[in-house]
Amino acid sequence: MRLVDSHCHLDDHQFDADREDTIARARAAGIETMLAIGTGDGPPDLEAAVRLAEGHECIFATIGVHPHDAAKAGEDTFARLERLISHPKVKAVGEIGLDYHYDFSPRNVQRAVFERQLALAASAGLPVVIHTREAWADTLSILRAAAPRAGIMHCFTGDAEQAREALDLDFHLAFGGVLTFPRAEEVREAARLTPDDRLLVETDCPYLAPVPHRGRRNEPAFMVETVRRLAEIRGSTPEEIAEITTRNFDRLTSPS
Ligand SMILES: [Zn+2]
Ligand SMILES: [Zn+2]
């Protein structure tokens, strides 16, 4: 079984004591490829994931400014992103989007920084990894206008209708640990209706560990629990889920 964790924060300080062991456990569990999300602590550091990817063949990177950190982005940030985007291990721009739950940055600033990064991804022909929380309508209208080449709704926790809206935009839906939570029936319904060629899996580690690890620090190796549950939900097998999600990731991240 060859799996791809399409969203992990391996640079997080929670991995400082055992990062290499964590990566080794992932590979032993069949997670052969990891997409490290490079948003880190926000600008001025934009290379949290690039550094990891440079040191590991199995790790690819994204670059981007998280909506939480939008207010920290200046002209120097965008200039640096433009230079980093052609790095051979950078496979996507993300996670970018809107977070109206925490509102750590003013909403108008979040929207402007989101739009600018969508334009940057489009100019490089790269897919985008979207974070959206309590901001579904604004996220969709910005994405409709920007029409990115391809994209991932990361940690998809919407319902069936939102899943259809994202799928109508040609987006991929990435499911994580939430899928295994007892009360996440709406998310499971969304996972059931997602076509094979739009399905991805992720951990979002160190956050959102799947059952039976819920509440603990999450890590890529735990993704096998999500894959098992996803297979049950879809009347499939973990092997088949691994095959289709890996194929989707490879297609999504190969040059257009
Ligand atoms: Zn996120
Ligand atoms: Zn994340």
Side-chain angles (χ1 to χ4, degrees):
M1 200 157 66
R2 186 167 89 85
L3 285 159
V4 181
D5 182 348
S6 66
H7 193 112
C8 49
H9 297 271
L10 288 171
D11 64 297
D12 193 278
H13 306 298
Q14 292 188 50
F15 295 114
D16 284 351
D18 65 343
R19 187 167 290 108
E20 293 306 317
D21 289 344
T22 302
I23 294 164
R25 281 195 297 275
R27 306 211 64 194
I31 292 68
E32 290 197 1
T33 304
M34 287 157 262
L35 184 62
I37 302 300
T39 45
D41 296 326
D45 184 17
L46 301 164
E47 283 147 77
V50 169
R51 282 192 293 272
L52 275 166
E54 280 176 342
H56 300 84
E57 210 178 324
C58 59
I59 299 178
F60 293 95
T62 72
I63 52 165
V65 178
H66 194 285
H68 290 343
D69 301 312
K72 296 189 210 164
E75 285 311 313
D76 53 328
T77 307
F78 293 105
R80 184 83 193 119
L81 288 173
E82 256 170 60
R83 283 201 300 278
L84 278 171
I85 206 162
S86 50
H87 188 288
K89 295 213 85 172
V90 170
K91 295 293 179 190
V93 173
E95 55 186 291
I96 59 173
L98 303 173
D99 194 312
Y100 294 172
H101 177 77
Y102 287 109
D103 279 328
F104 286 151
S105 289
R107 293 181 181 182
N108 61 328
V109 177
Q110 290 190 42
R111 287 191 290 266
V113 169
F114 182 27
E115 284 170 338
R116 216 163 145 178
Q117 293 185 97
L118 286 167
L120 180 74
S123 71
L126 286 184
V128 289
V129 179
I130 303 299
H131 171 104
T132 177
R133 189 159 180 199
E134 293 173 28
W136 186 251
D138 280 7
T139 302
L140 275 201
S141 73
I142 289 173
L143 287 175
R144 277 193 192 107
R149 174 176 85 82
I152 302 170
M153 286 294 179
H154 120 75
C155 187
F156 186 80
T157 50
D159 58 19
E161 195 194 328
Q162 290 175 333
R164 285 189 195 97
E165 286 177 320
L167 292 165
D168 282 347
L169 277 175
D170 286 336
F171 263 67
H172 291 65
L173 305 185
F175 294 93
V178 172
L179 195 73
T180 68
F181 295 177
R183 279 194 279 206
E185 198 43 56
E186 281 189 346
V187 181
R188 285 188 281 276
E189 197 191 329
R192 229 170 261 128
L193 67 81
T194 303
D196 277 358
D197 63 354
R198 305 293 193 80
L199 195 67
L200 291 169
V201 279
E202 66 166 62
T203 54
D204 202 16
C205 67
Y207 314 108
L208 296 168
V211 172
H213 308 289
R214 192 175 180 183
R216 288 170 54 197
R217 183 191 73 174
N218 197 6
E219 61 174 72
F222 294 171
M223 202 177 71
V224 295
E225 305 296 342
T226 303
V227 169
R228 209 170 283 152
R229 194 68 212 274
L230 190 55
E232 262 171 44
I233 292 164
R234 293 171 64 90
S236 174
T237 62
E239 289 73 18
E240 197 187 342
I241 297 291
E243 199 183 308
I244 63 178
T245 54
T246 298
R247 193 193 309 137
N248 291 341
F249 183 83
D250 288 346
R251 189 189 56 241
L252 195 54
T253 55
S254 42
S256 49

